[in-house]
Amino acid sequence: MARPDDRPLRRLPQLTPHKATLERCVFCPKLCRSACPVSNAEPRETLTPWGKMSMAYFVANESVPLAPSFAEPAWACTGCFGCREHCDHDNDVTGTLFAARSALVDAGEAPSAARRVLERFAESSSALGKIAADPRVASSVDANARVAVLVGCEHARRGTEGGVDTVRAVARLTGGKVALVDVCCGAPLLYAGDHARFVQEGERLAKALAGRERVVVGDAGCAAALRVHHPAAGVTMPAPVEHFSELAAREVGRLGRVDGALGDGPVRWHDPCQLGRGLGVYEAPRQVLSRALGRAPDEFERRREDGRCSGAGGLLPLTMPDVARGIGEQRVADHDRSGGGTIVTACASSMRSFQKSGAKVVDLATVVMRALDAADASAPPRAAPTERDET
Ligand code: SF4
Ligand code: SF4
């Protein structure tokens, strides 16, 4: 019988470009196992990064049958990049498992929750239109504005304060009105397992952004889709893409102090996986919070590159709801152990996960709006216009 690494990936040939990446995990002593939020919450060997990559590999090279028990581990991943930080090879488990999902969907083996996301994508992504109709953003929006804002479907669907404040704060920070992007970043298609439609959605988005000076993205997951996952799939955006925290950090001098506006007690920053490990943005939100609070924000014990996932990414709340809930509860317990208070994040899915576990959470954009209002309130009153001013 041929050695496993001599066997072609005949059943899932789409994974052939990822064969070396899969084999790095398959033949590895699992150095990253302690980093995975999924196998930490549900301690099963199959759910470690090694287990998920091995299952995809052995299905692909026909060592095991094409069956739910071997296919579904590919969806047991939040896409948090945590394993990569602990891997001597920087192995791309996240991208490879997303590719495996797509190959498995093509082969007809996917969890029902993922299939439902694919069936309902057009309907769920139409939520972006809701934010444009929200009267709270009406005075900040102009369809012809040079700066575009992509709020994110999760914010738009729920009509969150964070989504509304993202639009209003970007308009204030850029000194004009903003155009709202009503095309989804396509991340749900990537996570559910339709790579071809993910690319199509990226191309549609690129077309919608043509001619803009830049696009500011509110949700960390959408920002990673535009800056990491679409370029990896060969789609580049026609305008620079920045996360909201990067814009706010550049304009940090315009922020006032939000004394007491977030309540008493600690104000703790949670590094969203897609913003931190995904985009390498760690300093910008801390600069913004330091200015708004007048002191450095409180921190989780595990933070920055070692920050812990909320459990809300990669469709895990749909494919493994109990495990996702367990991970969110662990993070809120970490927060409580460190002194509780308010969590600030820039990921709409993480916010929802923490709120479900009983934590008080605000989006970074809400802190920035309050800090802009505080700066306005403390500005010296303008002198009354003189006759000469009026001429
Ligand atoms: S990600 Fe790296 S450390 Fe983890 S199993 Fe794969 S090769 Fe090993
Ligand atoms: S990306 Fe995160 S959830 Fe996925 S296998 Fe790695 S550590 Fe686990």
Side-chain angles (χ1 to χ4, degrees), residues 35-38 48-49 52 76-84 93-94 97:
C36 183
V38 179
T48 61
K52 290 176 267 209
C77 170
T78 62
C80 76
F81 303 104
C83 44
R84 193 182 61 188
V93 172
T94 306
L97 289 178

Side-chain angles (χ1 to χ4, degrees), residues 129-143:
K130 277 189 185 174
I131 195 104
D134 192 314
R136 292 174 291 176
V137 304
S139 63
S140 306
V141 173
D142 174 354

Side-chain angles (χ1 to χ4, degrees), residues 21-33 48-51 53 83-84 86-93:
T21 311
L22 286 160
E23 284 169 352
R24 240 173 259 132
C25 285
V26 170
F27 299 110
C28 173
K30 315 174 194 173
L31 301 174
C32 64
R33 63 180 309 148
T48 61
W50 167 85
M53 292 285 273
C83 44
R84 193 182 61 188
H86 288 71
C87 175
D88 285 348
H89 308 285
D90 289 336
N91 217 24
D92 181 20
V93 172

